[in-house]
Amino acid sequence: MSAPATQPSPASPSSSGTLSYEQAGVRYELIDPLKVAAQRAAAATGTHLATHGFTEVAASRGESAYVVDVGPFHLASIVECLGSKVLVADAMKALTGRSFYAAIAQDTIAMAINDLVTVGATPLVVQAYWAAGGSEWFEDHERAQALVAGWKVACDRCRVAWGGGETPALAGIVEGGRIDLAASCTGIVNPKERLSLGEHLAPGDAIVLLASSGIHANGLSLARKLAERLPRGYLTEVAPGCSYGEALLAPTTLYSPVTEALWAAGVRVHYAANITGHGWRKLLRHPGRFTYRIHTLPPVPPVLEFVAREAGHDAEQAYGTLNMGAGFGLFVPAAQAARTVEVAAACGVPAWVAGGVHDGPKRLLIEPLSLQFDADALTLR
Amino acid sequence: MSAPATQPSPASPSSSGTLSYEQAGVRYELIDPLKVAAQRAAAATGTHLATHGFTEVAASRGESAYVVDVGPFHLASIVECLGSKVLVADAMKALTGRSFYAAIAQDTIAMAINDLVTVGATPLVVQAYWAAGGSEWFEDHERAQALVAGWKVACDRCRVAWGGGETPALAGIVEGGRIDLAASCTGIVNPKERLSLGEHLAPGDAIVLLASSGIHANGLSLARKLAERLPRGYLTEVAPGCSYGEALLAPTTLYSPVTEALWAAGVRVHYAANITGHGWRKLLRHPGRFTYRIHTLPPVPPVLEFVAREAGHDAEQAYGTLNMGAGFGLFVPAAQAARTVEVAAACGVPAWVAGGVHDGPKRLLIEPLSLQFDADALTLR
């Protein structure tokens, strides 16, 4: 049960030109009390595992996936939702006639798998949750087949078994003509020393950032609001020959091939952060008290530069909201940082030794931009 | 990826008084092609497990949960959705001011857990998927807290750890004021010989039926349509002092305490069927060629009698659509049938030795009602 971050106070009141995440329709203050209550109730259930002879890995509470020690290895599980990216796919279909459902199928799986691998798990099984706004959704066979095909390809890339799933027709709950896409994923941490909940994170470790493919599946509420303000909407060019809508729909990078290859190559990941909602503030996720210094920035994908500029975001808002080119953060021993970059590149994912872990108060320093996020910029527990 | 059953052809055209499941808005013929494509694509991904040193338990394809042999034990996983029962809870809140969200929280967990245990798994971890139609859904704190509290109590009853989950606000996808409730569940089959995929099912085995608490979470589209035709709607009395809406919202029985107790008591379950959509036709789920004879019927809960009567269903339609008092079917060695009933009763779940497995063509004979469902009454693979 991941709770949202506390949003940083804007330095000045929003002008009509700027657009904050709250203005884009996400009101965390309403959801927070439920999340806190749910987290508390959930935490109290961990002891049930003892009746089956197992134990909760307590450090996984508040992390991206829940981990149970089942004896010979750890079990990790998660459920994740695509969110509102599906609305962009639907809008682009209406505008261009093209189906982007294969792409958003990959996004959905990425939401689950990229979270699951942060704890050191190998994803084994994905279940599909496709809740349509009525039986009629399935009448568009091309769209439905694209969803199936994209889902399959993403499973193939992650070498995960697609176990099955649920495809309810929920007229009256899901809006007519829409579909809610989510995925659950189960994996194992095997051997157990692969667990990367941060026990070994220490000053001197390097931070390696893995490239994102674009906006991934976070920041879409903001991106959609911006489309409403653009004269040509999703058809606005953000790069030569590439529309805003198309750029938004670049599928999320799947990071499990990288984490699997790193283990095989002998790289020992100390901690990992999936950079989704709250942007680079996710690099503050580890509960410990460290200063994270970033000295190298990955290139910013044109679509993210465009979103930040159109929303009137300063660097703090942009890096505190969007992934800005870094989809995943790995905290590894400094001696293995260069190898980490090589292994990621061999998997087709550009990577950079971007910074390091230091003694000091809990904060993230993005030095090339003179940015600082303090401990209270991210409250996930 | 469970596919829907082929609906039996009605014996006569529906009169204005009768209401079939298709008329209630579920059009399986539109969803079927997607499901078939998804099942095929999913089946082709099972071989990925070999790259991690594991194997799919192939017999679990087409069953209620997907099973992987991970060495020391089997891993089972599933995602399931509550469906439209939430609309009944919302309607009853509007009519009575009472929140039924604790009850439907249990229903949601039951949907996942009751399916998971059919394969012989012990449920270990549940993840919550609560997708609201916007942040505003969470403003009703009483409702939100009831959801959390009911979820917790159901986890406690099943001795399962609530690992976390996802609570997205999906304005534009989920309807305003609504929530889509789903749950994923991961468990293990331990020891492996507890696997109950039906390998040992044989003529001579007994069929033990476990009592349902009412409609559970299937048949609600039909039940809601009926409410529209009733002058007093959900406030119609179905039993003295009990309204239709209240009766519909009796929470689904959780069967994992029974299956856990049966294993502890030395009862060897050969096969199990969660009697959900398609009613008693689910007793035909096993792929083998057997005749199932039912000689004893459990009492029919008043709300199901009411639904069947108001829908104008004959016995074939009623038993082929609703659970009619039997929420779960266990196929056990005849010598252990009486013990099975005792163990279930000790868990607070009435049970009956209701019939047996026989040589013969694949069919279900409900002898007290002179009913017969043939093999083609249920097509799940």
Side-chain angles (χ1 to χ4, degrees):
Chain A
M1 189 71 48
S2 42
T6 312
Q7 299 289 320
S9 307
S12 61
S14 297
S15 77
S16 64
T18 66
L19 190 64
S20 74
Y21 214 74
E22 291 88 340
Q23 288 170 310
V26 181
R27 296 173 59 199
Y28 285 134
E29 79 281 6
L30 295 180
I31 313 177
D32 275 358
L34 171 90
K35 291 208 174 187
V36 171
Q39 283 170 340
R40 258 184 221 148
T45 61
T47 51
H48 291 313
L49 293 166
T51 64
H52 310 295
F54 304 129
T55 48
E56 168 182 288
V57 176
S60 70
R61 289 271 176 208
E63 292 293 334
S64 296
Y66 183 64
V67 185
V68 175
D69 184 342
V70 291
F73 41 69
H74 297 307
L75 193 65
S77 62
I78 193 165
V79 67
E80 281 291 327
C81 160
L82 173 62
S84 66
K85 196 165 184 175
V86 68
L87 298 175
V88 182
D90 288 348
M92 282 297 285
K93 168 76 179 184
L95 289 167
T96 69
R98 277 178 62 193
S99 171
F100 289 85
Y101 268 73
I104 62 173
Q106 176 172 328
D107 286 306
T108 309
I109 290 185
M111 290 301 280
I113 281 196
N114 292 348
D115 263 5
L116 193 87
V117 299
T118 62
V119 301
T122 300
L124 293 182
V125 179
V126 159
Q127 302 278 353
Y129 183 71
W130 303 343
S135 315
E136 297 67 29
W137 192 91
F138 301 97
E139 272 181 308
D140 179 343
H141 291 293
E142 189 200 335
R143 177 174 62 182
Q145 297 298 336
L147 176 58
V148 170
W151 198 274
K152 165 77 163 52
V153 167
C155 288
D156 290 343
R157 280 205 201 130
C158 297
R159 292 182 181 173
V160 70
W162 178 1
E166 176 86 331
T167 57
L170 296 180
I173 300 169
V174 173
E175 295 210 2
R178 300 292 184 196
I179 194 161
D180 177 26
L181 300 178
S184 71
C185 186
T186 302
I188 61 173
V189 180
N190 185 30
K192 283 177 168 182
E193 53 266 38
R194 214 179 135 177
L195 191 70
S196 54
L197 287 171
E199 197 193 346
H200 300 292
L201 187 71
D205 282 351
I207 301 173
V208 174
L209 296 177
L210 305 185
S212 72
S213 58
I215 198 166
H216 286 185
N218 283 282
L220 271 300
S221 298
L222 176 65
R224 286 165 43 232
K225 275 279 174 197
L226 291 177
E228 292 171 16
R229 311 205 303 203
L230 296 166
R232 296 202 62 219
Y234 289 118
L235 299 180
T236 310
E237 271 207 347
V238 292
C242 179
S243 71
Y244 180 44
E246 214 175 337
L248 287 174
L249 288 161
T252 305
T253 304
L254 296 158
Y255 294 113
S256 73
V258 177
T259 52
E260 287 303 298
L262 286 172
W263 176 257
V267 172
R268 181 74 178 262
V269 175
H270 285 172
Y271 191 66
N274 185 20
I275 303 178
T276 53
H278 323 110
W280 286 37
R281 288 181 281 161
K282 277 278 169 70
L283 295 172
L284 288 162
R285 181 161 202 148
H286 186 279
R289 200 165 158 278
F290 299 109
T291 293
Y292 307 93
R293 290 181 183 273
I294 301 292
H295 52 66
T296 298
L297 299 180
V300 181
V303 68
L304 294 179
E305 234 168 36
F306 180 86
V307 167
R309 187 174 65 242
E310 291 294 322
H313 281 185
D314 58 20
E316 183 178 351
Q317 288 174 303
Y319 281 79
T321 309
L322 304 165
N323 73 58
M324 298 308 276
F328 202 86
L330 290 163
F331 301 75
V332 298
Q336 297 192 305
R339 182 82 184 111
T340 301
V341 170
E342 281 169 24
V343 169
C347 296
V349 179
W352 301 269
V353 182
V357 181
H358 298 266
D359 275 318
K362 183 166 185 166
R363 62 185 176 185
L364 169 67
L365 301 172
I366 307 179
E367 294 173 341
L369 300 167
S370 306
L371 278 184
Q372 174 171 334
F373 289 104
D374 291 329
D376 62 1
L378 187 72
T379 316
L380 292 169
R381 286 154 221 268
Chain B
M1 187 73 46
S2 44
T6 311
Q7 301 288 323
S9 305
S12 61
S14 296
S15 77
S16 65
T18 66
L19 190 64
S20 74
Y21 214 73
E22 291 87 340
Q23 286 170 311
V26 181
R27 296 173 58 199
Y28 285 134
E29 80 281 6
L30 294 181
I31 312 177
D32 275 359
L34 172 90
K35 292 209 175 187
V36 170
Q39 282 169 341
R40 260 185 220 147
T45 62
T47 51
H48 292 313
L49 294 166
T51 67
H52 310 295
F54 304 129
T55 48
E56 167 181 290
V57 176
S60 71
R61 290 271 176 206
E63 292 293 333
S64 296
Y66 182 63
V67 184
V68 175
D69 184 341
V70 291
F73 40 70
H74 297 306
L75 193 65
S77 62
I78 193 165
V79 67
E80 281 291 328
C81 162
L82 172 61
S84 66
K85 196 165 184 175
V86 69
L87 298 175
V88 182
D90 289 348
M92 282 297 284
K93 168 78 179 183
L95 289 167
T96 68
R98 278 179 61 193
S99 172
F100 289 86
Y101 268 72
I104 62 172
Q106 175 171 330
D107 285 306
T108 309
I109 291 185
M111 290 300 280
I113 282 195
N114 292 348
D115 263 4
L116 194 88
V117 299
T118 61
V119 301
T122 299
L124 293 181
V125 180
V126 158
Q127 302 278 355
Y129 183 71
W130 304 342
S135 315
E136 297 66 29
W137 191 92
F138 301 97
E139 273 182 307
D140 180 341
H141 292 293
E142 189 200 334
R143 176 174 63 182
Q145 297 298 335
L147 175 58
V148 170
W151 199 272
K152 165 78 162 53
V153 167
C155 288
D156 290 342
R157 276 203 205 132
C158 297
R159 294 186 180 170
V160 70
W162 178 1
E166 176 88 329
T167 57
L170 297 181
I173 299 169
V174 173
E175 295 212 2
R178 300 292 185 195
I179 196 161
D180 177 26
L181 300 177
S184 72
C185 187
T186 302
I188 61 174
V189 180
N190 186 27
K192 283 177 168 181
E193 53 266 38
R194 214 180 134 175
L195 192 69
S196 54
L197 287 171
E199 196 192 346
H200 301 291
L201 187 70
D205 282 350
I207 301 173
V208 174
L209 295 177
L210 305 185
S212 71
S213 58
I215 199 167
H216 286 186
N218 284 283
L220 272 300
S221 297
L222 175 66
R224 287 166 42 231
K225 275 277 174 199
L226 291 178
E228 292 170 16
R229 311 205 302 205
L230 296 166
R232 297 202 59 221
Y234 288 119
L235 298 181
T236 310
E237 271 207 346
V238 292
C242 179
S243 71
Y244 180 44
E246 213 174 339
L248 288 173
L249 286 161
T252 305
T253 305
L254 295 158
Y255 294 114
S256 74
V258 177
T259 51
E260 289 302 299
L262 286 172
W263 176 258
V267 172
R268 182 74 179 262
V269 175
H270 285 172
Y271 191 65
N274 186 20
I275 302 177
T276 54
H278 323 110
W280 286 38
R281 289 181 282 161
K282 277 277 168 71
L283 295 172
L284 287 163
R285 181 162 201 146
H286 187 280
R289 199 164 160 280
F290 299 108
T291 293
Y292 307 95
R293 290 180 183 273
I294 301 292
H295 52 68
T296 298
L297 297 180
V300 181
V303 69
L304 293 179
E305 235 169 34
F306 181 86
V307 167
R309 186 174 65 241
E310 290 295 321
H313 282 184
D314 58 21
E316 182 178 353
Q317 287 174 304
Y319 280 79
T321 307
L322 304 165
N323 73 57
M324 298 308 276
F328 203 85
L330 290 163
F331 301 75
V332 298
Q336 297 192 304
R339 181 83 184 109
T340 301
V341 169
E342 280 170 23
V343 170
C347 295
V349 179
W352 301 268
V353 182
V357 181
H358 299 264
D359 275 318
K362 183 166 185 166
R363 62 185 177 184
L364 169 67
L365 302 171
I366 306 178
E367 294 173 343
L369 300 167
S370 305
L371 278 185
Q372 174 171 334
F373 289 104
D374 291 328
D376 61 1
L378 186 73
T379 316
L380 292 169
R381 287 153 221 266

